[in-house]
Amino acid sequence: MSELAVGQTVQLNDGRIATVRFVGPTRFAPDDWVGVELEDDSGKNDGSVKGDRYFDCEMGRGMFVRPMAITSIIEQPPPAAKPPNGSAALKKPTR
């Protein structure tokens, strides 16, 4: 499961396309789960289960699946924005 990351677009075993919104342990069941936001409203929740919020999405677009329910990774998340190089070097030391 280490290759799954928040922001990836994935295909589920049933062919639906989703975006990964959560990866890790939950309080509702043992082991690690993957919270996904579906492209349509065929999901089961809004990113929360039994009062615990794991991610936010519209009601009916969220769903939790076991990692084995993911067939493939379609797209990686965009890289995180980095500050311009040398920005720390521009500061002059104070005395």
Side-chain angles (χ1 to χ4, degrees):
M1 184 164 75
S2 61
E3 68 273 0
L4 293 174
V6 171
Q8 289 175 320
T9 303
V10 296
Q11 182 174 14
L12 305 181
N13 290 346
D14 63 9
R16 289 185 286 180
I17 304 299
T19 301
V20 175
R21 299 292 185 210
F22 172 87
V23 179
T26 66
R27 291 181 58 174
F28 62 82
D31 300 322
D32 286 334
W33 288 81
V34 181
V36 296
E37 182 176 358
L38 299 164
E39 291 185 329
D40 60 21
D41 60 355
S42 64
K44 298 181 178 183
N45 58 52
D46 63 354
S48 66
V49 177
K50 296 182 180 178
D52 292 316
R53 173 133 331 258
Y54 298 94
F55 63 95
D56 290 306
C57 70
E58 290 182 33
M59 179 54 84
R61 292 191 179 247
M63 191 166 112
F64 286 85
V65 297
R66 300 266 185 192
M68 64 200 76
I70 295 176
T71 302
S72 61
I73 297 169
I74 297 172
E75 184 177 284
Q76 297 292 337
K82 294 181 181 178
N85 286 341
S87 62
L90 297 176
K91 294 182 180 179
K92 293 185 178 183
T94 57
R95 292 185 185 201

